[in-house]
């Protein structure tokens, strides 16, 4: 009996259990409508919490002058606690919009509801306050979700650093300033990071304290709703970076020990603690944890109208060892055995079943470094049901090459292998660099290539130095090769499209709480005399070329040439021929290129174009006619002729026109 079949049986059993106990899976996964604070039709407020280990709960806040014992909850079945506040005499709600609240337990600890929808922190405070969010006029959605994208071109973004100023940027400024840029650049999807509320800004959003609250440091819930709605008006899909792999260990403003015990939401003892991350691990076998996390997905889909999720830390969820200290060889023993967290597997299947059943256009992406088989196969086929996985080996390979290899030592076969080594039938998101590569301690590709000269020699009004010339050409080539060969989707971290010159470092004690590196300097790309604009233009036209020809949505590329000595890579995809010459000094005359069909080719995109910081050495009017000369397994071929020779450090895309004969 196959593992996939057993997982299907387990999933079916779990679903039948939920439906038998709850009556309706849809109702179960919208438990945010029955837990936390909810206004009733008569304007009264009903508060319900799950705190199985608590001996008593009390509500306190602005509404009762912070009386500690005046409003006790009543214990209900299954660890639930309930408190009803009737409306005021004038029929208004008993707790006003934006009032502060706390839940006090029997140990005199003041806590925030795990279902809180908005939390804020004063400048003079170290912990968050629970704010009752119940506006008289909530945001009204104006635009429908865009259709599911045929090709996924993702702009990975963090709202707080989306400004050139040394401050925390806002949802409003992102809506006004970043959304038009993203649209102009040809991206069709935004992946928003650090939205789920987190107490420590420098955690990059990966130490979540309030799972149902949009981060207040960027603005209000209504501001975020407008951001998503405006993105939809531009035809942009919006994904949320969701963190269900672990939770902050904070107790004052997190969900840890909410009921006073070590086991509320999490495994008790060592199993419930992530040794490397210092965070808590969910007990995915728990009925109420399923309710909490599945309802959390529904909340972000329904309340904020996100279009899907990038699931963070999937590797940590899949294995009891969390991937710590593991080197995954690809052997099936890595993926099947007692070290697999079957409860987490079933939970991820439940999550994808929920999302793809109720929202057929929903997109889910898994961040998994292990290469778990079946991760992106349909649940009906025994898979976990994700649409895409991140191709995490690709950026590591580029960084390794730039760190360890001279240009003459680049291994073309190794590069192609890394870009094409993905599981058949499981779609991947390729990227040359993400936020991980931008963080302090590492450097962006642009900084690896050009380093300190980016501060002094990026003016287009002066001749390029050798370092800047090499860096600009390779920056474009690396991105285009990754985009066209590496997967079925593409991702770029904000600012890297124009070669952002610095790393990313959030304010912390180690840098004197500085915001200098917690920003993206979009002002650089707006200066016409700087070469950042040239890299930005290439990124834009690369995306627009994909939008027109759809290579990400097409079959995998057919690689016809991997020439180590010449440093040349050639492949075909989506009626296009891609030619890369990575040699630092050699150009080639009459270079034969394989082609699958009879006809002619012309240049569609040329990294050597002057507008992209190239040298303008290619004549774009040249037509390349195929000949019935078999070459490298293809029936047709053509030569890159003497007057149009293949220049060093150049990548071109040739578009196919069929023969009229």
């Amino acid at each position: 009996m196959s593992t996939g079949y057993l997982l299907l049986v387990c999933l079916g059993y779990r679903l039948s259990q939920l439906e038998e106990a709850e009556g309706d899976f849809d109702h179960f996964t919208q438990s945010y409508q029955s837990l936390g604070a909810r206004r009733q039709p008569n304007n009264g407020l009903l508060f319900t919490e799950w705190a199985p280990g608590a001996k008593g709960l009390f509500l306190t806040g602005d509404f009762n002058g912070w009386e500690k014992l005046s409003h006790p909850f009543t214990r209900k079945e299954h660890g639930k606690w309930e408190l009803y506040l009737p409306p005021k005499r004038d029929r208004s709600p008993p707790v006003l919009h934006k009032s502060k609240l706390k839940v006090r337990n029997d140990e005199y600890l003041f806590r925030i509801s795990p279902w809180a929808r908005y939390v804020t922190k004063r400048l003079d405070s170290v912990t968050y306050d629970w704010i009752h969010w119940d506006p008289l006029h909530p945001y009204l959605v104006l635009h429908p979700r865009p259709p599911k994208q045929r090709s996924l071109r993702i702009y990975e973004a963090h709202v707080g650093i989306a400004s050139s100023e040394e401050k925390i940027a806002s949802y409003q400024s992102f809506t006004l300033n970043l959304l038009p840029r993203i649209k102009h650049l040809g991206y069709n999807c935004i992946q928003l990071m650090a939205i789920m509320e987190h107490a420590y800004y420098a955690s990059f959003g990966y130490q979540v304290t309030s799972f149902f609250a949009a981060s207040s440091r960027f603005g209000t819930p209504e501001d975020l709703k407008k951001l998503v709605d405006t993105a939809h008006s531009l035809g942009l899909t919006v994904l949320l970076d969701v963190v269900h792999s672990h939770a902050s260990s904070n107790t004052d403003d997190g969900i840890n020990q909410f009921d006073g015990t070590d086991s509320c939401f999490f495994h008790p003892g060592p199993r419930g603690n992530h040794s490397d991350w210092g965070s808590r691990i969910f007990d995915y076998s728990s009925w109420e944890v399923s309710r909490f996390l599945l309802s959390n997905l529904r909340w972000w889909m329904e309340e904020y109208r996100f279009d899907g999720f990038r699931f963070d830390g999937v590797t940590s969820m899949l294995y009891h060892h969390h991937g710590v200290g593991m080197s995954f060889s690809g052997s099936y023993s890595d993926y099947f055995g007692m070290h697999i967290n079957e409860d987490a597997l079933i939970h991820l299947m439940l999550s994808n079943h929920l999302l793809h059943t109720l929202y057929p256009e929903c997109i889910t992406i898994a961040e998994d470094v292990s290469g778990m088989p079946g991760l992106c196969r349909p649940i009906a086929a025994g898979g976990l049901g994700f649409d895409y996985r991140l191709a995490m080996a690709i950026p590591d390979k580029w960084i390794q090459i730039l760190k360890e290899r001279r240009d003459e030592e680049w291994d073309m076969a190794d590069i192609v292998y890394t870009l094409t080594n993905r599981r058949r039938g499981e779609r991947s998101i390729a990227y040359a660099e993400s936020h991980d590569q931008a963080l302090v301690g590492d450097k962006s590709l642009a900084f690896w290539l050009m380093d300190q000269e980016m501060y002094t020699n990026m003016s287009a009004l002066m001749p390029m130095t050798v370092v800047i010339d090499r860096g600009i050409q390779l920056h474009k080539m690396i991105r285009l090769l990754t985009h066209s060969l590496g997967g079925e989707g593409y991702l770029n971290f904000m600012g890297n499209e124009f070669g952002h010159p610095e790393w990313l470092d959030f304010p912390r004690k180690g840098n004197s709480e500085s915001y200098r590196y917690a920003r993206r300097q979009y002002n650089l790309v707006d200066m016409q005399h700087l070469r950042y604009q040239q890299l930005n233009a290439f990124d834009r036209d690369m995306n627009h070329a994909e939008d027109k020809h759809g290579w990400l949505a097409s079959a995998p590329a057919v690689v016809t040439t991997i020439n180590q000595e010449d440093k040349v890579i050639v492949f075909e995809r989506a009626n296009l021929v891609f030619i890369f010459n990575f040699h630092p000094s050699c150009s080639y005359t009459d270079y034969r290129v394989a082609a699958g069909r009879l006809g002619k080719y012309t240049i569609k995109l040329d990294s050597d174009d002057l507008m992209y910081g190239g040298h303008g050495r290619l004549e774009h009017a040249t037509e390349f006619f195929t000949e019935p000369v078999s070459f490298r397994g293809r029936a047709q071929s053509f030569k890159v002729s003497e007057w149009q020779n293949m220049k060093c450090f150049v990548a071109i895309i040739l578009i196919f026109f069929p023969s009229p004969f």
Side-chain angles (χ1 to χ4, degrees), residues 6 26 35-36 56 82 87-88 107 139 158 160 162 191 252 282-283 288 358-359 368 430 468 534 556 599 605 612 617:
L6 288 173
D26 181 55
L35 283 104
E82 193 173 276
K88 295 179 179 179
E107 296 181 354
Y139 183 82
H158 184 291
Q191 180 180 298
D252 287 343
F282 286 105
D283 178 2
E288 293 302 326
L358 297 178
Y359 312 98
D368 169 44
I468 295 297
Q534 297 168 342
L605 186 67
Y612 307 140
R617 295 169 291 183

Side-chain angles (χ1 to χ4, degrees), residues 535-552:
L535 293 176
N536 193 74
F538 182 79
D539 197 79
R540 176 199 66 209
D541 291 352
M542 175 178 67
N543 281 323
H544 284 291
E546 196 290 323
D547 184 54
K548 182 174 181 179
H549 299 286
W551 61 71
L552 290 172

Side-chain angles (χ1 to χ4, degrees), residues 484-497:
S484 53
L485 188 60
E488 291 71 39
Y490 177 75
L491 178 143
N492 165 67
F493 179 62
M494 60 191 307
N496 288 347
E497 68 274 7

Side-chain angles (χ1 to χ4, degrees), residues 401-622:
I401 290 171
L402 294 177
K403 280 183 178 180
E404 301 175 1
R405 300 287 183 91
R406 296 181 302 159
D407 295 347
E408 296 81 2
E409 298 172 340
W410 285 29
D411 188 333
M412 297 295 103
D414 185 40
I415 291 171
V416 170
Y417 174 79
T418 303
L419 288 167
T420 57
N421 180 30
R422 50 189 185 271
R423 295 196 179 277
R424 186 182 300 273
E426 298 193 44
R427 294 183 292 182
S428 295
I429 302 292
Y431 57 106
E433 52 185 337
S434 69
H435 69 278
D436 287 327
Q437 287 71 42
L439 291 169
V440 68
D442 207 334
K443 295 188 287 190
S444 67
L445 289 182
F447 220 56
W448 277 112
L449 288 163
M450 296 176 277
D451 210 77
Q452 297 297 320
E453 288 205 24
M454 298 192 75
Y455 296 120
T456 56
N457 296 327
M458 285 295 281
S459 173
L461 303 178
M462 58 184 287
M464 284 189 287
T465 65
V466 173
V467 169
I468 295 297
D469 189 4
R470 170 185 177 270
I472 284 180
Q473 311 320 324
L474 284 177
H475 191 272
K476 293 177 291 186
M477 295 178 70
I478 288 170
R479 303 178 87 75
L480 178 58
L481 184 60
T482 302
H483 200 308
S484 53
L485 188 60
E488 291 71 39
Y490 177 75
L491 178 143
N492 165 67
F493 179 62
M494 60 191 307
N496 288 347
E497 68 274 7
F498 62 83
H500 198 277
E502 293 171 339
W503 54 86
L504 179 62
D505 187 16
F506 287 89
R508 53 188 174 83
K509 289 183 179 179
N511 62 15
S512 302
E513 304 296 336
S514 171
Y515 285 86
R516 178 178 177 184
Y517 299 110
R519 59 185 179 132
R520 297 278 94 179
Q521 298 185 60
Y522 288 100
N523 57 304
L524 296 176
V525 78
D526 292 335
M527 297 181 185
Q528 299 296 313
H529 70 285
L530 296 182
R531 296 193 183 277
Y532 298 105
Q533 187 207 27
Q534 297 168 342
L535 293 176
N536 193 74
F538 182 79
D539 197 79
R540 176 199 66 209
D541 291 352
M542 175 178 67
N543 281 323
H544 284 291
E546 196 290 323
D547 184 54
K548 182 174 181 179
H549 299 286
W551 61 71
L552 290 172
S554 71
V558 176
V559 181
T560 56
T561 298
I562 306 174
N563 192 311
Q564 176 62 18
E565 183 178 352
D566 295 346
K567 295 290 184 286
V568 171
I569 298 171
V570 181
F571 58 89
E572 297 174 84
R573 194 174 186 186
N575 286 328
L576 301 168
V577 171
F578 297 78
I579 304 175
F580 294 80
N581 179 8
F582 278 97
H583 204 289
S585 58
C586 289
S587 300
Y588 305 106
T589 300
D590 290 340
Y591 206 91
R592 186 164 292 277
V593 173
R597 301 172 66 184
L598 178 66
K600 71 176 180 180
Y601 289 82
T602 61
I603 294 177
K604 173 66 181 179
L605 186 67
D606 166 23
S607 69
D608 198 47
D609 197 307
L610 290 172
M611 69 182 296
Y612 307 140
H615 299 281
R617 295 169 291 183
L618 303 183
E619 176 52 60
H620 289 186
T622 303

Side-chain angles (χ1 to χ4, degrees), residues 90-339:
D90 62 1
R91 299 183 181 179
S92 63
V95 178
L96 298 178
H97 173 50
K98 294 186 178 180
S99 295
K100 292 183 180 180
L101 295 170
K102 288 281 187 178
V103 173
R104 192 186 73 80
N105 64 20
D106 49 289
E107 296 181 354
Y108 301 99
L109 297 176
F110 292 89
R111 307 303 304 273
I112 293 174
S113 168
W115 303 82
R117 303 179 180 188
Y118 190 53
V119 296
T120 64
K121 184 171 72 70
R122 302 188 314 272
L123 292 177
D124 60 347
S125 175
V126 295
T127 59
Y128 275 80
D129 294 312
W130 173 16
I131 304 299
H132 180 59
W133 191 259
D134 188 19
L136 183 62
H137 301 291
Y139 183 82
L140 295 177
V141 174
L142 300 176
H143 306 284
R145 288 188 172 102
K148 195 170 186 176
Q149 307 291 353
R150 183 174 63 101
S151 297
L152 209 57
R153 302 182 298 276
I154 303 172
Y155 197 82
E156 185 183 43
H158 184 291
V159 170
I161 65 173
S163 167
S164 58
E165 299 180 55
E166 295 183 27
K167 66 176 186 179
I168 297 177
S170 67
Y171 296 125
Q172 290 183 350
S173 66
F174 192 98
T175 302
L176 181 64
N177 299 314
L178 260 293
L179 289 183
R181 287 186 187 271
I182 296 168
K183 177 67 174 178
H184 175 71
L185 282 167
Y187 292 93
N188 57 17
C189 179
I190 304 169
Q191 180 180 298
L192 285 181
M193 310 179 67
I195 296 299
M196 303 168 76
E197 190 60 89
H198 48 291
Y200 185 40
Y201 190 40
S203 76
F204 218 118
Y206 292 126
Q207 293 280 341
V208 177
T209 46
S210 291
F211 283 76
F212 288 81
S215 182
S216 61
R217 54 173 56 86
F218 311 135
T220 69
E222 311 310 298
D223 292 336
L224 176 57
K225 292 175 186 178
K226 184 176 181 180
L227 187 162
V228 175
D229 196 27
T230 305
H232 287 166
S233 75
L234 297 172
L236 298 172
T237 295
V238 188
L239 306 181
L240 175 69
D241 197 18
V242 69
V243 185
H244 283 180
S245 50
H246 63 131
S248 170
S249 59
N250 286 15
T251 54
D252 287 343
D253 50 13
I255 66 173
N256 186 25
Q257 299 183 20
F258 177 70
D259 68 347
T261 73
D262 188 39
S263 59
C264 187
F265 292 106
F266 310 110
H267 289 289
R271 188 181 175 188
N273 294 281
H274 196 296
S275 57
D276 278 17
W277 297 347
S279 53
R280 299 303 314 275
I281 302 298
F282 286 105
D283 178 2
Y284 299 107
S285 68
S286 164
W287 196 280
E288 293 302 326
V289 169
S290 289
R291 183 193 305 276
F292 183 76
L293 295 179
L294 294 177
S295 295
N296 190 235
L297 297 175
R298 292 292 304 273
W299 168 257
W300 294 106
M301 293 292 291
E302 295 285 346
E303 185 73 9
Y304 289 94
R305 295 181 60 77
F306 281 93
D307 303 297
F309 303 94
R310 179 263 204 185
F311 281 72
D312 173 70
V314 168
T315 305
S316 178
M317 298 175 70
L318 294 175
Y319 309 95
H320 292 302
H321 54 60
H322 306 303
V324 176
M326 297 298 297
S327 177
F328 294 94
S329 64
S331 168
Y332 282 108
S333 62
D334 291 341
Y335 310 115
F336 304 104
M338 298 301 293
H339 54 288

